[in-house]
Short mmCIF file of all heavy atoms in Angstrom, two decimals:
data_model
loop_
_atom_site.label_atom_id
_atom_site.label_comp_id
_atom_site.label_asym_id
_atom_site.label_seq_id
_atom_site.Cartn_x
_atom_site.Cartn_y
_atom_site.Cartn_z
N LEU K 66 -14.96 9.95 0.34
CA LEU K 66 -13.57 9.60 0.69
C LEU K 66 -13.29 8.13 0.36
O LEU K 66 -12.21 7.79 -0.11
CB LEU K 66 -13.30 9.86 2.17
CG LEU K 66 -12.96 11.29 2.59
CD1 LEU K 66 -12.88 11.40 4.10
CD2 LEU K 66 -11.66 11.75 1.95
N ALA K 69 -12.82 7.97 -3.26
CA ALA K 69 -11.57 8.64 -3.63
C ALA K 69 -10.38 7.70 -3.48
O ALA K 69 -9.48 7.67 -4.31
CB ALA K 69 -11.37 9.88 -2.77
N LEU K 70 -10.43 6.92 -2.42
CA LEU K 70 -9.35 5.97 -2.15
C LEU K 70 -9.32 4.90 -3.24
O LEU K 70 -8.27 4.56 -3.77
CB LEU K 70 -9.60 5.34 -0.77
CG LEU K 70 -8.43 4.70 -0.03
CD1 LEU K 70 -7.29 5.67 0.15
CD2 LEU K 70 -8.93 4.21 1.34
N GLU K 73 -8.27 6.31 -6.61
CA GLU K 73 -6.93 6.92 -6.56
C GLU K 73 -6.96 8.41 -6.89
O GLU K 73 -6.24 8.90 -7.74
CB GLU K 73 -5.97 6.17 -7.49
CG GLU K 73 -5.79 4.72 -7.04
CD GLU K 73 -4.88 3.91 -7.96
OE1 GLU K 73 -3.86 4.46 -8.39
OE2 GLU K 73 -5.22 2.76 -8.23
N GLU K 74 -7.83 9.11 -6.15
CA GLU K 74 -7.94 10.56 -6.35
C GLU K 74 -7.03 11.37 -5.42
O GLU K 74 -7.03 12.58 -5.46
CB GLU K 74 -9.39 11.01 -6.14
CG GLU K 74 -10.31 10.56 -7.26
CD GLU K 74 -11.75 11.02 -7.06
OE1 GLU K 74 -12.10 11.53 -5.98
OE2 GLU K 74 -12.55 10.83 -8.01
N PHE K 75 -6.28 10.67 -4.58
CA PHE K 75 -5.37 11.39 -3.68
C PHE K 75 -4.03 11.63 -4.35
O PHE K 75 -3.61 10.83 -5.20
CB PHE K 75 -5.17 10.62 -2.37
CG PHE K 75 -6.40 10.58 -1.52
CD1 PHE K 75 -7.08 9.39 -1.30
CD2 PHE K 75 -6.91 11.75 -0.96
CE1 PHE K 75 -8.24 9.35 -0.54
CE2 PHE K 75 -8.07 11.73 -0.20
CZ PHE K 75 -8.74 10.52 0.01
N LEU K 76 -3.38 12.70 -3.99
CA LEU K 76 -2.02 12.95 -4.46
C LEU K 76 -1.27 13.74 -3.40
O LEU K 76 -1.87 14.28 -2.47
CB LEU K 76 -2.02 13.68 -5.81
CG LEU K 76 -2.42 15.14 -5.83
CD1 LEU K 76 -1.83 15.83 -7.05
CD2 LEU K 76 -3.93 15.27 -5.86
N LEU K 77 0.04 13.77 -3.54
CA LEU K 77 0.85 14.52 -2.58
C LEU K 77 1.51 15.69 -3.26
O LEU K 77 1.97 15.58 -4.40
CB LEU K 77 1.93 13.60 -1.98
CG LEU K 77 1.44 12.44 -1.11
CD1 LEU K 77 2.59 11.54 -0.70
CD2 LEU K 77 0.71 12.96 0.13
N HIS K 78 1.51 16.81 -2.56
CA HIS K 78 2.33 17.94 -2.99
C HIS K 78 3.54 17.99 -2.06
O HIS K 78 3.49 17.49 -0.94
CB HIS K 78 1.53 19.24 -2.93
CG HIS K 78 0.66 19.45 -4.14
ND1 HIS K 78 -0.11 20.57 -4.33
CD2 HIS K 78 0.46 18.67 -5.23
CE1 HIS K 78 -0.75 20.48 -5.49
NE2 HIS K 78 -0.43 19.33 -6.05
N TYR K 79 4.61 18.59 -2.56
CA TYR K 79 5.85 18.59 -1.80
C TYR K 79 6.32 20.02 -1.55
O TYR K 79 6.51 20.78 -2.50
CB TYR K 79 6.93 17.80 -2.58
CG TYR K 79 6.55 16.34 -2.66
CD1 TYR K 79 5.69 15.89 -3.67
CD2 TYR K 79 6.99 15.45 -1.71
CE1 TYR K 79 5.29 14.55 -3.72
CE2 TYR K 79 6.60 14.12 -1.75
CZ TYR K 79 5.75 13.68 -2.76
OH TYR K 79 5.35 12.37 -2.79
N GLN K 80 6.46 20.37 -0.27
CA GLN K 80 6.97 21.71 0.05
C GLN K 80 8.45 21.60 0.43
O GLN K 80 8.81 20.85 1.35
CB GLN K 80 6.21 22.37 1.19
CG GLN K 80 6.71 23.80 1.40
CD GLN K 80 5.95 24.59 2.45
OE1 GLN K 80 5.59 24.05 3.49
NE2 GLN K 80 5.71 25.85 2.16
N GLU K 94 8.31 18.35 2.65
CA GLU K 94 7.19 17.79 3.43
C GLU K 94 6.12 17.36 2.44
O GLU K 94 5.76 18.13 1.54
CB GLU K 94 6.63 18.82 4.41
CG GLU K 94 5.40 18.29 5.16
CD GLU K 94 4.90 19.21 6.26
OE1 GLU K 94 5.47 20.31 6.44
OE2 GLU K 94 3.92 18.82 6.94
N ALA K 95 5.65 16.13 2.59
CA ALA K 95 4.58 15.61 1.74
C ALA K 95 3.24 16.06 2.30
O ALA K 95 2.95 15.80 3.47
CB ALA K 95 4.65 14.10 1.67
N LEU K 96 2.45 16.75 1.51
CA LEU K 96 1.15 17.26 1.97
C LEU K 96 0.03 16.73 1.07
O LEU K 96 0.08 16.84 -0.16
CB LEU K 96 1.18 18.78 2.00
CG LEU K 96 2.15 19.35 3.06
CD1 LEU K 96 2.63 20.74 2.70
CD2 LEU K 96 1.50 19.33 4.45
N LEU K 97 -0.95 16.15 1.72
CA LEU K 97 -2.02 15.44 1.03
C LEU K 97 -3.01 16.38 0.33
O LEU K 97 -3.40 17.41 0.89
CB LEU K 97 -2.76 14.57 2.04
CG LEU K 97 -3.81 13.60 1.53
CD1 LEU K 97 -3.23 12.60 0.53
CD2 LEU K 97 -4.46 12.86 2.70
N ARG K 98 -3.40 16.01 -0.86
CA ARG K 98 -4.41 16.73 -1.63
C ARG K 98 -5.40 15.71 -2.19
O ARG K 98 -5.05 14.57 -2.42
CB ARG K 98 -3.77 17.46 -2.83
CG ARG K 98 -2.62 18.41 -2.44
CD ARG K 98 -3.17 19.65 -1.77
NE ARG K 98 -2.17 20.64 -1.41
CZ ARG K 98 -1.67 20.79 -0.19
NH1 ARG K 98 -2.01 19.96 0.78
NH2 ARG K 98 -0.82 21.75 0.08
N TRP K 99 -6.63 16.18 -2.42
CA TRP K 99 -7.65 15.32 -3.00
C TRP K 99 -8.11 15.95 -4.30
O TRP K 99 -8.73 17.01 -4.29
CB TRP K 99 -8.78 15.16 -1.99
CG TRP K 99 -9.98 14.40 -2.47
CD1 TRP K 99 -10.12 13.69 -3.64
CD2 TRP K 99 -11.23 14.27 -1.79
NE1 TRP K 99 -11.35 13.12 -3.72
CE2 TRP K 99 -12.05 13.46 -2.60
CE3 TRP K 99 -11.72 14.74 -0.57
CZ2 TRP K 99 -13.35 13.13 -2.23
CZ3 TRP K 99 -13.01 14.41 -0.20
CH2 TRP K 99 -13.83 13.61 -1.03
N GLN K 100 -7.78 15.27 -5.40
CA GLN K 100 -8.19 15.74 -6.71
C GLN K 100 -9.58 15.19 -6.99
O GLN K 100 -9.73 14.06 -7.46
CB GLN K 100 -7.19 15.25 -7.77
CG GLN K 100 -7.48 15.76 -9.18
CD GLN K 100 -7.11 17.22 -9.35
OE1 GLN K 100 -5.94 17.56 -9.33
NE2 GLN K 100 -8.12 18.09 -9.51
N HIS K 101 -10.60 15.98 -6.65
CA HIS K 101 -11.98 15.53 -6.79
C HIS K 101 -12.35 15.41 -8.26
O HIS K 101 -11.80 16.12 -9.09
CB HIS K 101 -12.91 16.54 -6.09
CG HIS K 101 -14.29 16.04 -5.88
ND1 HIS K 101 -15.33 16.38 -6.71
CD2 HIS K 101 -14.80 15.21 -4.94
CE1 HIS K 101 -16.44 15.79 -6.28
NE2 HIS K 101 -16.14 15.08 -5.21
N LYS K 105 -11.91 19.89 -8.81
CA LYS K 105 -11.45 20.74 -7.70
C LYS K 105 -10.37 20.05 -6.88
O LYS K 105 -10.45 18.84 -6.62
CB LYS K 105 -12.65 21.06 -6.79
CG LYS K 105 -12.86 22.56 -6.62
CD LYS K 105 -14.09 22.90 -5.79
CE LYS K 105 -14.04 22.35 -4.38
NZ LYS K 105 -15.28 22.61 -3.62
N LEU K 106 -9.35 20.82 -6.49
CA LEU K 106 -8.31 20.28 -5.62
C LEU K 106 -8.69 20.61 -4.17
O LEU K 106 -8.76 21.78 -3.80
CB LEU K 106 -6.95 20.90 -5.98
CG LEU K 106 -5.73 20.22 -5.36
CD1 LEU K 106 -5.56 18.81 -5.92
CD2 LEU K 106 -4.48 21.04 -5.61
N ILE K 107 -8.92 19.57 -3.38
CA ILE K 107 -9.41 19.80 -2.02
C ILE K 107 -8.26 19.69 -1.03
O ILE K 107 -7.46 18.76 -1.07
CB ILE K 107 -10.55 18.80 -1.68
CG1 ILE K 107 -11.63 18.88 -2.78
CG2 ILE K 107 -11.14 19.11 -0.30
CD1 ILE K 107 -12.76 17.89 -2.63
N MET K 108 -8.19 20.68 -0.13
CA MET K 108 -7.09 20.76 0.84
C MET K 108 -7.38 19.89 2.07
O MET K 108 -8.54 19.64 2.41
CB MET K 108 -6.90 22.23 1.25
CG MET K 108 -6.61 23.15 0.08
SD MET K 108 -5.16 22.65 -0.85
CE MET K 108 -3.91 23.51 0.08
N PRO K 109 -6.32 19.44 2.74
CA PRO K 109 -6.49 18.48 3.84
C PRO K 109 -7.37 18.96 4.99
O PRO K 109 -8.06 18.16 5.61
CB PRO K 109 -5.06 18.21 4.31
CG PRO K 109 -4.21 19.28 3.72
CD PRO K 109 -4.91 19.72 2.49
N ASP K 110 -7.36 20.25 5.29
CA ASP K 110 -8.17 20.74 6.40
C ASP K 110 -9.66 20.44 6.18
O ASP K 110 -10.43 20.39 7.13
CB ASP K 110 -7.97 22.25 6.60
CG ASP K 110 -6.59 22.55 7.18
OD1 ASP K 110 -6.00 21.63 7.80
OD2 ASP K 110 -6.09 23.68 7.00
N LYS K 111 -10.06 20.23 4.91
CA LYS K 111 -11.46 19.97 4.58
C LYS K 111 -11.85 18.50 4.80
O LYS K 111 -13.03 18.19 4.85
CB LYS K 111 -11.73 20.33 3.11
CG LYS K 111 -11.65 21.81 2.82
CD LYS K 111 -13.00 22.48 3.06
CE LYS K 111 -13.01 23.91 2.59
NZ LYS K 111 -12.14 24.78 3.42
N PHE K 112 -10.87 17.57 4.86
CA PHE K 112 -11.28 16.17 4.93
C PHE K 112 -10.49 15.31 5.91
O PHE K 112 -10.93 14.21 6.23
CB PHE K 112 -11.24 15.54 3.53
CG PHE K 112 -9.87 15.49 2.89
CD1 PHE K 112 -9.02 14.42 3.11
CD2 PHE K 112 -9.44 16.52 2.05
CE1 PHE K 112 -7.77 14.38 2.52
CE2 PHE K 112 -8.18 16.48 1.46
CZ PHE K 112 -7.35 15.40 1.70
N ILE K 113 -9.34 15.77 6.43
CA ILE K 113 -8.55 14.94 7.34
C ILE K 113 -9.35 14.63 8.62
O ILE K 113 -9.35 13.51 9.11
CB ILE K 113 -7.20 15.62 7.71
CG1 ILE K 113 -6.26 15.64 6.51
CG2 ILE K 113 -6.54 14.93 8.91
CD1 ILE K 113 -5.53 14.34 6.24
N GLY K 114 -10.06 15.63 9.13
CA GLY K 114 -10.85 15.45 10.34
C GLY K 114 -11.87 14.34 10.19
O GLY K 114 -12.01 13.48 11.06
N ILE K 115 -12.56 14.32 9.06
CA ILE K 115 -13.58 13.29 8.81
C ILE K 115 -12.92 11.93 8.59
O ILE K 115 -13.40 10.91 9.05
CB ILE K 115 -14.48 13.70 7.63
CG1 ILE K 115 -15.26 14.97 8.02
CG2 ILE K 115 -15.44 12.58 7.25
CD1 ILE K 115 -16.01 15.63 6.89
N ALA K 116 -11.77 11.94 7.91
CA ALA K 116 -11.02 10.69 7.71
C ALA K 116 -10.59 10.12 9.07
O ALA K 116 -10.60 8.90 9.26
CB ALA K 116 -9.80 10.94 6.83
N GLU K 117 -10.25 10.99 10.00
CA GLU K 117 -9.84 10.53 11.33
C GLU K 117 -11.04 9.94 12.08
O GLU K 117 -10.97 8.86 12.63
CB GLU K 117 -9.24 11.69 12.14
CG GLU K 117 -7.84 12.06 11.66
CD GLU K 117 -7.30 13.35 12.28
OE1 GLU K 117 -8.10 14.12 12.86
OE2 GLU K 117 -6.08 13.58 12.18
N LEU K 121 -11.00 6.15 8.24
CA LEU K 121 -10.45 6.07 6.88
C LEU K 121 -9.02 6.59 6.82
O LEU K 121 -8.30 6.33 5.85
CB LEU K 121 -11.34 6.86 5.90
CG LEU K 121 -12.62 6.14 5.49
CD1 LEU K 121 -13.55 7.10 4.75
CD2 LEU K 121 -12.29 4.94 4.61
N ILE K 122 -8.59 7.30 7.86
CA ILE K 122 -7.22 7.81 7.91
C ILE K 122 -6.22 6.64 7.91
O ILE K 122 -5.06 6.83 7.51
CB ILE K 122 -7.00 8.74 9.14
CG1 ILE K 122 -5.69 9.53 9.02
CG2 ILE K 122 -7.02 7.95 10.44
CD1 ILE K 122 -5.64 10.54 7.92
N ILE K 123 -6.66 5.45 8.33
CA ILE K 123 -5.74 4.30 8.35
C ILE K 123 -5.32 3.92 6.92
O ILE K 123 -4.14 3.98 6.59
CB ILE K 123 -6.33 3.10 9.13
CG1 ILE K 123 -6.72 3.51 10.56
CG2 ILE K 123 -5.35 1.91 9.14
CD1 ILE K 123 -5.57 3.98 11.45
N PRO K 124 -6.27 3.55 6.03
CA PRO K 124 -5.84 3.25 4.65
C PRO K 124 -5.28 4.47 3.92
O PRO K 124 -4.35 4.34 3.13
CB PRO K 124 -7.12 2.72 3.99
CG PRO K 124 -8.25 3.19 4.85
CD PRO K 124 -7.70 3.27 6.24
N ILE K 125 -5.83 5.66 4.18
CA ILE K 125 -5.29 6.86 3.51
C ILE K 125 -3.85 7.09 3.98
O ILE K 125 -2.96 7.36 3.17
CB ILE K 125 -6.18 8.11 3.80
CG1 ILE K 125 -7.56 7.95 3.16
CG2 ILE K 125 -5.50 9.38 3.29
CD1 ILE K 125 -8.56 9.05 3.52
N GLY K 126 -3.62 6.96 5.27
CA GLY K 126 -2.28 7.15 5.82
C GLY K 126 -1.28 6.16 5.25
O GLY K 126 -0.11 6.51 5.01
N GLU K 127 -1.72 4.92 5.02
CA GLU K 127 -0.83 3.92 4.42
C GLU K 127 -0.50 4.30 2.98
O GLU K 127 0.63 4.15 2.53
CB GLU K 127 -1.47 2.52 4.48
CG GLU K 127 -1.36 1.94 5.87
CD GLU K 127 -2.11 0.63 6.04
OE1 GLU K 127 -2.70 0.11 5.06
OE2 GLU K 127 -2.14 0.13 7.20
N TRP K 128 -1.52 4.82 2.29
CA TRP K 128 -1.28 5.27 0.91
C TRP K 128 -0.25 6.41 0.90
O TRP K 128 0.67 6.43 0.08
CB TRP K 128 -2.59 5.72 0.25
CG TRP K 128 -2.36 6.20 -1.14
CD1 TRP K 128 -2.33 5.44 -2.29
CD2 TRP K 128 -2.02 7.54 -1.52
NE1 TRP K 128 -2.00 6.23 -3.34
CE2 TRP K 128 -1.80 7.52 -2.92
CE3 TRP K 128 -1.87 8.74 -0.84
CZ2 TRP K 128 -1.46 8.67 -3.65
CZ3 TRP K 128 -1.51 9.88 -1.55
CH2 TRP K 128 -1.32 9.84 -2.94
N VAL K 129 -0.40 7.35 1.83
CA VAL K 129 0.53 8.50 1.93
C VAL K 129 1.95 7.99 2.18
O VAL K 129 2.90 8.39 1.51
CB VAL K 129 0.10 9.48 3.05
CG1 VAL K 129 1.20 10.50 3.34
CG2 VAL K 129 -1.20 10.19 2.69
N MET K 130 2.08 7.07 3.15
CA MET K 130 3.41 6.56 3.50
C MET K 130 4.05 5.85 2.31
O MET K 130 5.22 6.08 2.01
CB MET K 130 3.26 5.61 4.69
CG MET K 130 4.56 5.06 5.23
SD MET K 130 5.70 6.32 5.88
CE MET K 130 4.76 6.92 7.26
N ARG K 131 3.29 5.01 1.62
CA ARG K 131 3.83 4.27 0.48
C ARG K 131 4.27 5.25 -0.63
O ARG K 131 5.38 5.14 -1.15
CB ARG K 131 2.80 3.28 -0.06
CG ARG K 131 3.33 2.41 -1.20
CD ARG K 131 2.40 1.26 -1.55
NE ARG K 131 2.29 0.29 -0.46
CZ ARG K 131 1.23 0.14 0.32
NH1 ARG K 131 0.15 0.89 0.12
NH2 ARG K 131 1.22 -0.74 1.29
N SER K 132 3.43 6.23 -0.94
CA SER K 132 3.77 7.19 -2.00
C SER K 132 5.00 7.99 -1.62
O SER K 132 5.89 8.21 -2.44
CB SER K 132 2.61 8.16 -2.22
OG SER K 132 1.44 7.46 -2.48
N ALA K 133 5.06 8.44 -0.36
CA ALA K 133 6.20 9.25 0.09
C ALA K 133 7.49 8.43 0.04
O ALA K 133 8.54 8.95 -0.35
CB ALA K 133 5.95 9.76 1.51
N VAL K 150 12.03 13.20 3.16
CA VAL K 150 10.60 13.44 2.90
C VAL K 150 9.88 13.28 4.24
O VAL K 150 9.97 12.23 4.89
CB VAL K 150 10.03 12.45 1.86
CG1 VAL K 150 8.54 12.69 1.66
CG2 VAL K 150 10.77 12.59 0.53
N ALA K 151 9.20 14.35 4.67
CA ALA K 151 8.47 14.31 5.94
C ALA K 151 7.01 13.94 5.69
O ALA K 151 6.38 14.46 4.78
CB ALA K 151 8.55 15.67 6.63
N VAL K 152 6.51 13.02 6.52
CA VAL K 152 5.13 12.53 6.40
C VAL K 152 4.37 12.89 7.68
O VAL K 152 4.88 12.69 8.78
CB VAL K 152 5.15 11.00 6.21
CG1 VAL K 152 3.74 10.43 6.23
CG2 VAL K 152 5.85 10.62 4.91
N ASN K 153 3.18 13.44 7.53
CA ASN K 153 2.34 13.78 8.68
C ASN K 153 1.55 12.56 9.16
O ASN K 153 0.94 11.87 8.35
CB ASN K 153 1.35 14.89 8.31
CG ASN K 153 2.05 16.21 8.06
OD1 ASN K 153 2.44 16.91 8.99
ND2 ASN K 153 2.24 16.54 6.78
N LEU K 154 1.57 12.32 10.45
CA LEU K 154 0.80 11.21 11.02
C LEU K 154 -0.24 11.75 12.00
O LEU K 154 0.06 12.61 12.82
CB LEU K 154 1.72 10.23 11.76
CG LEU K 154 2.74 9.44 10.94
CD1 LEU K 154 3.57 8.56 11.87
CD2 LEU K 154 2.06 8.59 9.88
N SER K 155 -1.47 11.23 11.90
CA SER K 155 -2.53 11.60 12.85
C SER K 155 -2.40 10.76 14.11
O SER K 155 -1.98 9.60 14.05
CB SER K 155 -3.90 11.32 12.25
OG SER K 155 -4.15 12.16 11.18
N GLN K 158 -3.80 7.28 13.92
CA GLN K 158 -3.01 6.20 13.32
C GLN K 158 -2.22 5.42 14.38
O GLN K 158 -1.90 4.26 14.20
CB GLN K 158 -2.06 6.75 12.25
CG GLN K 158 -2.80 7.22 11.01
CD GLN K 158 -1.89 7.92 10.01
OE1 GLN K 158 -1.73 9.14 10.04
NE2 GLN K 158 -1.28 7.16 9.13
N GLU K 185 6.12 13.29 11.16
CA GLU K 185 5.64 14.45 11.91
C GLU K 185 4.44 14.07 12.76
O GLU K 185 3.43 13.59 12.24
CB GLU K 185 5.28 15.59 10.95
CG GLU K 185 6.49 16.10 10.18
CD GLU K 185 6.22 17.41 9.45
OE1 GLU K 185 5.11 17.99 9.60
OE2 GLU K 185 7.12 17.85 8.71
N ASP K 215 5.37 18.51 15.07
CA ASP K 215 4.79 19.51 14.17
C ASP K 215 4.08 20.59 14.99
O ASP K 215 3.63 20.32 16.11
CB ASP K 215 3.78 18.80 13.27
CG ASP K 215 3.53 19.54 11.97
OD1 ASP K 215 4.05 20.66 11.80
OD2 ASP K 215 2.81 18.98 11.12
N PRO K 299 3.77 24.36 -1.42
CA PRO K 299 3.81 22.94 -1.77
C PRO K 299 3.56 22.76 -3.27
O PRO K 299 2.68 23.41 -3.83
CB PRO K 299 2.66 22.34 -0.94
CG PRO K 299 2.43 23.31 0.18
CD PRO K 299 2.73 24.66 -0.41
N LEU K 300 4.35 21.90 -3.91
CA LEU K 300 4.32 21.76 -5.36
C LEU K 300 3.98 20.34 -5.79
O LEU K 300 4.33 19.38 -5.10
CB LEU K 300 5.71 22.07 -5.94
CG LEU K 300 6.28 23.46 -5.69
CD1 LEU K 300 7.75 23.49 -6.12
CD2 LEU K 300 5.47 24.51 -6.45
N PRO K 301 3.36 20.20 -6.99
CA PRO K 301 3.21 18.85 -7.56
C PRO K 301 4.61 18.25 -7.74
O PRO K 301 5.58 18.99 -7.92
CB PRO K 301 2.56 19.12 -8.92
CG PRO K 301 1.93 20.47 -8.80
CD PRO K 301 2.76 21.23 -7.83
#
Side-chain angles (χ1 to χ4, degrees):
L66 278 173
L70 201 56
E73 298 178 41
E74 289 181 351
F75 291 113
L76 72 156
L77 295 174
H78 278 182
Y79 294 84
Q80 184 176 40
E94 176 173 2
L96 293 155
L97 187 59
R98 305 287 182 260
W99 175 9
Q100 183 75 68
H101 194 261
K105 237 177 61 184
L106 192 66
I107 307 176
M108 302 302 273
D110 288 338
K111 292 272 188 291
F112 63 88
I113 290 280
I115 295 170
E117 286 171 345
L121 282 169
I122 194 66
I123 304 297
I125 294 173
E127 283 173 3
W128 179 87
V129 169
M130 184 62 65
R131 184 169 294 107
S132 306
V150 178
V152 174
N153 291 283
L154 294 179
S155 292
Q158 290 173 268
E185 296 192 5
D215 203 354
L300 300 170

